[in-house]
C-alpha cells in the first residue's frame, strides 16, 4: 500500500500534521514497538513525519486532572490533523475508548466537513460503519456473534453500512476465515440483524476503498474487490473501478440503479522500487514469484527449495533460504500485529536443518563412495608394482589423485589421505597397501 499512502499524502502538500491513533492496540504490552514501527514505516516509505496520539487510559478522567489534560490534547491533535491513521488491534477496545474520549464525534466531524485525510485500516476499519464486528471476542474468545455500535463515519455520507475488512481472508485453510475471521454461517446470522436499508461493505485484503469527498467519487484500489452484500446477495466492485458516491449509495440501499454496469480500468499495483517496506518486499519476493502476501512468499520459497533439493542443487537451496529470510525481514516492518511471522520462521528453520543435513551428507560423501573402492584399487596397484608394471601402477595413482586422493609410498606399503587433509584431520584407520 506504499503507493496509495504516498498518493493520499501528496494531496496534503508539505509539512502536514500527521497523527497515528494507537488506540486499537493500546492494550497490548508491545504497543510502543508497534507505534515505533508505524512511524518508521511512514517516515521511510511515505516521507511523512508522524506523531502518536496515545491511548490515555481505561476511564474518562475527571475534568481538571492531568489525565483530562492528556485526553484534551489527543482530541485536539485529531481535530487539527491534516492526516489521521489508525490500524491493527481490537475493534471493540478501540470503540470503547473512542466513545469514552468522544473521539468518535471528532472523527465524524472530520468526514462530514471533508477535513484532511482519515485512513482507517484493519481493526480500525471495522469501526467506521454504524455497526461493528467484535473480531477478538467472536473469533478468539468464542462469544456469540453480535454487532457493536460503530462510529458511523460513513453514515454522514449516506452509507448505512457495517464495514468488514479482511473480507477474503484465507488463513484458516481447512476452516472458513473469510469476512475478518467470521465465516459464512456467522455472517449469515449477523446480516439478518441489520436494517433493510443497510448492507455489509466488505473490503478484501491488500485492497482499499477511497472516498474522495471533493469529487464525490469512490475508488477501489488494489488487488481485491469491494463487496456490497445484502441478505446474502453480493455485488462485487473490482479493484481499479471508480464510481460515483451516489451509485454506491444505491448499491447499499439495493435500489434499481445497482444493476448499472460499473466502469472499469486497470487495477493499481504497488510498484515502488526505492527504500521502504514496499521496496523491501518487492526485492525480497523477486525469487518467490512476486508474492503479495507472506503466506504466498513462504509457499513459493518452499517450492523452490524442494525443487532444488530434488535436483541436488545446493546453491539454489541456500538462495531460497536466504530469500525467505529477506521476505520475513521485509514483512516484519508491517504494522499488523501478526502476519504469520513465527510460522514463516519455523519454515525457514526447517529449510536450514534440511540444508545442514544435505551438507553433512555431502561432507561425508567421499568416505562412503570413493572410500569404498580405495582398498581394492590400492591392492591392484600393489600387485602391479610387485609385477614390475610401474607404468600401470602410476596410472592408478594419477586416477586416484584426480579423485582427491594423495598417496604416500613407503618401503612396506602405501598410505593415503584426502587432498588438503592434514595429519590431525585424518579419521579412522586408513587402508594401506
Amino acid at each position: 500500500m506504499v503507493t496509495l499512502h504516498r498518493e493520499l499524502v501528496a494531496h496534503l502538500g508539505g509539512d502536514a500534521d500527521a497523527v497515528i491513533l494507537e488506540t486499537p492496540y493500546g492494550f497490548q504490552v508491545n504497543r510502543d514497538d508497534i507505534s515505533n514501527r508505524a512511524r518508521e514505516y511512514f517516515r521511510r516509505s511515505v516521507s511523512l513525519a508522524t506523531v502518536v496520539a496515545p491511548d490515555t487510559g481505561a476511564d474518562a478522567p475527571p475534568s481538571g486532572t492531568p489525565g483530562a489534560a492528556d485526553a484534551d490534547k489527543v482530541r485536539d491533535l485529531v481535530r487539527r490533523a491534516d492526516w489521521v491513521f489508525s490500524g491493527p488491534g481490537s475493534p471493540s477496545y478501540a470503540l470503547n475508548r473512542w466513545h469514552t474520549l468522544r473521539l468518535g464525534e471528532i472523527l465524524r466531524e472530520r468526514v462530514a466537513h471533508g477535513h484532511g485525510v482519515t485512513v482507517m485500516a484493519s481493526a480500525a476499519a471495522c469501526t467506521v460503519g454504524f455497526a461493528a464486528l467484535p473480531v477478538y471476542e467472536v473469533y478468539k474468545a468464542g462469544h456469540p456473534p453480535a454487532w457493536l455500535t460503530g462510529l458511523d463515519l460513513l453514515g454522514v455520507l449516506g452509507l448505512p453500512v457495517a464495514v468488514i475488512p479482511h473480507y477474503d481472508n484465507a488463513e484458516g485453510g481447512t476452516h472458513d476465515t473469510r469476512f475478518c475471521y467470521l465465516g459464512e454461517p456467522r455472517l449469515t446470522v449477523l446480516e439478518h440483524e441489520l436494517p433493510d436499508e443497510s448492507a455489509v461493505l466488505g473490503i478484501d485484503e491488500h485492497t482499499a476503498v477511497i472516498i474522495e469527498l471533493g469529487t464525490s467519487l469512490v475508488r477501489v484500489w488494489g488487488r481485491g474487490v469491494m463487496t456490497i452484500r445484502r441478505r446474502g446477495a453480493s455485488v462485487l466492485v473490482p479493484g481499479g473501478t471508480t464510481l460515483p458516491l451516489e451509485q454506491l449509495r444505491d448499491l447499499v440501499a439495493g435500489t434499481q440503479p445497482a444493476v448499472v454496469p460499473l466502469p472499469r480500468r486497470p487495477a493499481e499495483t504497488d510498484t515502488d522500487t526505492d527504500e521502504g517496506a514496499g521496496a523491501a518486499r518487492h526485492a525480497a519476493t523477486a525469487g518467490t514469484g512476486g508474492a503479495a502476501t507472506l503466506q504466498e512468499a513462504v509457499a513459493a520459497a518452499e517450492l523452490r527449495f524442494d525443487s532444488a533439493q530434488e535436483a541436488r542443487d545446493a546453491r539454489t537451496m541456500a538462495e531460497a533460504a536466504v530469500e525467505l529470510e529477506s521476505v520475513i525481514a521485509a514483512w516484519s516492518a508491517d504494522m499488523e500485529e501478526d502476519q504469520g511471522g513465527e510460522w514463516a520462521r519455523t519454515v525457514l528453520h526447517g529449510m536450514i536443518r534440511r540444508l545442514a543435513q544435505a551438507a553433512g551428507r555431502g561432507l561425508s560423501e567421499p568416505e562412503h563412495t570413493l572410500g569404498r573402492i580405495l582398498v581394492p584399487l590400492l591392492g591392484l596397484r600393489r600387485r602391479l608394482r610387485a609385477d614390475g608394471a610401474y607404468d600401470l601402477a602410476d596410472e592408478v595413482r594419477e586416477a586416484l589423485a584426480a579423485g582427491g586422493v594423495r598417496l604416500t609410498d613407503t618401503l612396506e606399503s602405501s598410505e593415503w589421505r584426502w587432498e588438503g587433509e592434514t595429519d590431525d584431520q585424518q579419521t579412522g584407520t586408513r587402508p594401506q597397501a
Side-chain angles (χ1 to χ4, degrees), residues 7 64 75 132 147 218 243 264 271 306 326 423:
E7 178 185 322
R75 284 190 287 267
W147 295 110
V218 178
L243 66 156
R264 181 71 192 273
T271 56
D306 292 343
S326 297
D423 291 337

Side-chain angles (χ1 to χ4, degrees), residues 380-390 392-393:
L380 173 62
R381 182 170 180 271
R382 181 187 59 192
R383 290 193 298 274
L384 290 173
R385 294 182 68 196
D387 293 341
Y390 293 107
L392 292 175

Side-chain angles (χ1 to χ4, degrees), residues 50 169 181 205 293:
T50 60
N169 182 273
Y181 307 96
E205 296 181 337
T293 68

Side-chain angles (χ1 to χ4, degrees), residues 84-328:
V84 172
F85 172 87
S86 192
S90 166
S92 54
Y93 180 84
L95 284 170
N96 180 60
R97 299 295 304 117
W98 287 338
H99 285 317
T100 300
L101 295 172
R102 304 196 313 279
L103 270 178
E105 300 172 14
I106 295 171
L107 291 170
R108 277 194 299 275
E109 289 174 5
R110 288 178 58 87
V111 175
H113 298 152
H115 176 65
V117 175
T118 302
V119 184
M120 306 291 268
S122 193
C126 284
T127 71
V128 303
F130 77 95
L133 180 66
V135 178
Y136 273 52
E137 289 80 356
V138 174
Y139 182 63
K140 296 190 175 182
H143 289 194
W147 295 110
L148 301 175
T149 301
L151 299 179
D152 203 16
L153 305 188
L154 299 182
V156 299
L157 303 179
L159 297 172
V161 294
V163 176
I164 301 183
H166 304 285
Y167 200 73
D168 63 339
N169 182 273
E171 292 178 21
T174 58
H175 66 283
D176 188 3
T177 54
R178 291 173 298 163
F179 322 132
C180 202
Y181 307 96
L182 194 64
E184 179 68 37
R186 286 178 288 201
L187 178 58
T188 300
V189 171
L190 280 176
E191 67 179 342
H192 283 291
E193 299 179 10
L194 297 176
D196 289 340
E197 67 276 9
S198 67
V200 168
L201 183 70
I203 305 174
D204 284 355
E205 296 181 337
H206 310 286
T207 306
V209 175
I210 303 103
I211 301 177
E212 300 172 354
L213 301 179
T215 59
S216 292
L217 293 176
V218 178
R219 183 156 57 102
V220 182
W221 193 101
R223 64 184 297 227
V225 304
M226 173 180 70
T227 301
I228 298 92
R229 172 168 168 155
R230 293 175 46 82
R231 300 295 186 268
S234 297
V235 176
L236 306 183
V237 184
T241 300
T242 299
L243 66 156
L245 178 58
E246 187 61 35
Q247 187 174 10
L248 180 56
R249 294 189 185 112
D250 291 335
L251 288 168
V252 169
T255 55
Q256 187 64 30
V259 300
V260 175
L262 298 172
R264 181 71 192 273
R265 59 187 174 81
E268 298 92 338
T269 55
D270 203 343
T271 56
D272 297 275
T273 55
D274 58 349
E275 287 190 347
R281 289 181 193 168
H282 177 79
T285 58
T288 55
T293 68
L294 178 58
Q295 290 78 15
E296 292 173 3
V298 172
E302 276 193 293
L303 179 61
R304 188 181 184 208
F305 187 93
D306 292 343
S307 299
Q309 186 173 28
E310 186 175 347
R312 302 177 67 81
D313 183 353
R315 179 185 294 276
T316 301
M317 290 171 67
E319 288 176 354
V322 171
E323 286 169 0
L324 179 55
E325 191 279 332
S326 297
V327 167
I328 294 171

Side-chain angles (χ1 to χ4, degrees), residues 404-423:
V405 178
R406 185 175 63 184
L407 293 178
T408 302
D409 293 323
T410 64
L411 292 177
E412 295 81 16
S413 63
S414 296
E415 297 180 350
W416 66 273
R417 68 181 60 178
W418 298 117
E419 190 71 34
E421 186 181 55
T422 65
D423 291 337

